[in-house]
Amino acid sequence: MPALLVPALAFGFAAWVAWRSRSLAALRFQAVVAVAAVAGVLSVSRITGDVYNYLIRWWWVIGALWWVSIAWSLWCGCSSVLARHPRQGRSRQLRAGAVLAAGALAATLGFSVRTIDGVGRVGTPDGEWYVQVEPVVGELVARAPRPGPALVRFRGTRDASVGDALRLQLERAGVPVVVDDDLVFKFGGSRRASDHPPQYVVWVAMGSAVTEMEQGPVVSGTLEEIARWDPLTTEQRAWLVAAQERLASQLRAAGRDDLAEAAVSGGDIREARGIEGVDDGLWEAITAARLRGDPIAVLIGPPGADPGVSADPV
């Protein structure tokens, strides 16, 4: 909330200037922007679950209009003051223009520095997925059989958009991609696998599904693993698996079987913190390790092969 103090004070001051200078058009514009901002806050407050960036990206427009309305009101106020002194209007206009230009430059530089610093700390929207995708794209594109088409399926406890990213990279490399019927709504009927039989199936496994796939269909020879990436070393991954099992035991003892399942599968365990009988230090260590990224593996197999696992629908 402190970060909103400067924009709010600037907006209020600009509205006061517009009212004092009788700049009704600028004041009406600020009123419209204020209503839009209030409506935006109410809209965001009704979002349940995670607030994904694409749900609030329209706030960029409201933010831009917020500052444009402030600038317009201040300009109208200055113009009104200069109009009352026609004899000294020219010199005053030059001085006022110089002051406004210097102020605008200082404000632009200040906000630019804050924005660059914020981007450095927050990162690109959905940028966390680039870390997992980039290490496996090269191997996938190089080893994907031609001419295709390839049926891509995702298996994991996290965002299936990673599978979408690899579908895009295959298409860019000239390998046509088809999808199962339950994904036609996203990719269109022209990519329906039942209408265009695939040459092979690409399985994208993430999180705990990597171990599940490697210990099952890879060992049996049903699938071939062509790319893999893990941000943790073998020892760190083994510690994390054991630590998640300990946390799951504590959660089961506390009567939270749902969170226990999430702990061992890589699911959301935010609610586990603070539960009586749960070691908060263990929770923090697990969370820190998870934030380094989930393992990802890309596997290929024939269309008729049954790996013994089901694909997540989205």
Side-chain angles (χ1 to χ4, degrees), residues 147-304:
L151 172 60
V152 179
R153 288 172 172 164
F154 177 85
R155 174 68 175 175
T157 54
R158 296 292 298 274
D159 198 331
S161 61
V162 172
D164 295 345
L166 296 182
R167 290 184 179 98
L168 174 61
Q169 295 305 318
L170 283 173
E171 284 279 354
R172 286 177 172 175
V175 179
V177 172
V178 293
V179 297
D180 291 306
D181 289 349
D182 53 7
L183 287 178
V184 168
F185 78 95
K186 184 190 294 188
F187 297 97
S190 62
R191 299 183 186 275
R192 191 188 302 271
S194 56
D195 296 335
H196 306 279
Q199 180 185 357
Y200 53 92
V201 178
V202 175
W203 287 86
V204 182
M206 193 170 179
S208 60
V210 172
T211 303
E212 181 183 358
M213 300 282 270
E214 289 177 339
Q215 293 179 349
V218 173
V219 172
S220 66
T222 305
L223 300 179
E224 176 190 4
E225 186 174 87
I226 63 171
R228 191 184 195 279
W229 177 83
D230 192 338
L232 304 181
T233 64
T234 303
E235 294 76 15
Q236 290 171 336
R237 181 62 60 186
W239 174 89
L240 179 58
V241 171
Q244 291 179 153
E245 289 289 352
R246 293 200 303 273
L247 180 63
S249 298
Q250 296 174 3
L251 289 167
R252 292 190 190 97
R256 293 300 303 269
D257 291 345
D258 56 330
L259 290 177
E261 174 62 26
V264 296
S265 65
D268 190 347
I269 58 171
R270 284 175 293 183
E271 294 182 17
R273 186 175 189 178
I275 294 179
E276 186 176 355
V278 173
D279 184 349
D280 284 347
L282 179 63
W283 178 90
E284 291 174 357
I286 291 173
T287 301
R290 285 184 171 190
L291 287 174
R292 294 182 61 182
D294 288 335
I296 182 173
V298 180
L299 311 97
I300 288 183

Side-chain angles (χ1 to χ4, degrees), residues 126-152:
D126 287 337
E128 64 272 21
W129 303 123
Y130 304 162
V131 178
Q132 285 93 337
V133 171
E134 187 176 13
V136 299
V137 165
E139 285 293 321
L140 171 61
V141 170
R143 300 181 61 179
R146 269 64 170 180
L151 172 60
V152 179

Side-chain angles (χ1 to χ4, degrees), residues 47-191:
I47 298 176
T48 57
D50 294 330
V51 182
Y52 294 106
N53 67 84
Y54 64 84
L55 296 176
I56 58 174
R57 197 166 286 163
W58 43 267
W59 260 104
W60 293 351
V61 178
I62 295 180
L65 292 176
W66 185 277
W67 290 107
V68 168
S69 68
I70 291 174
W72 188 15
S73 293
L74 293 178
W75 177 256
C76 289
C78 291
S79 299
S80 177
V81 172
L82 294 174
R84 299 195 197 105
H85 303 82
R87 293 183 179 180
Q88 302 176 0
R90 183 62 178 172
S91 60
R92 286 176 177 270
Q93 286 178 1
L94 292 175
R95 289 197 297 271
V99 171
L100 288 175
L105 179 60
T108 301
L109 291 175
F111 284 121
S112 297
V113 171
R114 288 179 59 86
T115 300
I116 293 172
D117 178 64
V119 170
R121 287 183 286 104
V122 177
T124 305
D126 287 337
E128 64 272 21
W129 303 123
Y130 304 162
V131 178
Q132 285 93 337
V133 171
E134 187 176 13
V136 299
V137 165
E139 285 293 321
L140 171 61
V141 170
R143 300 181 61 179
R146 269 64 170 180
L151 172 60
V152 179
R153 288 172 172 164
F154 177 85
R155 174 68 175 175
T157 54
R158 296 292 298 274
D159 198 331
S161 61
V162 172
D164 295 345
L166 296 182
R167 290 184 179 98
L168 174 61
Q169 295 305 318
L170 283 173
E171 284 279 354
R172 286 177 172 175
V175 179
V177 172
V178 293
V179 297
D180 291 306
D181 289 349
D182 53 7
L183 287 178
V184 168
F185 78 95
K186 184 190 294 188
F187 297 97
S190 62
R191 299 183 186 275

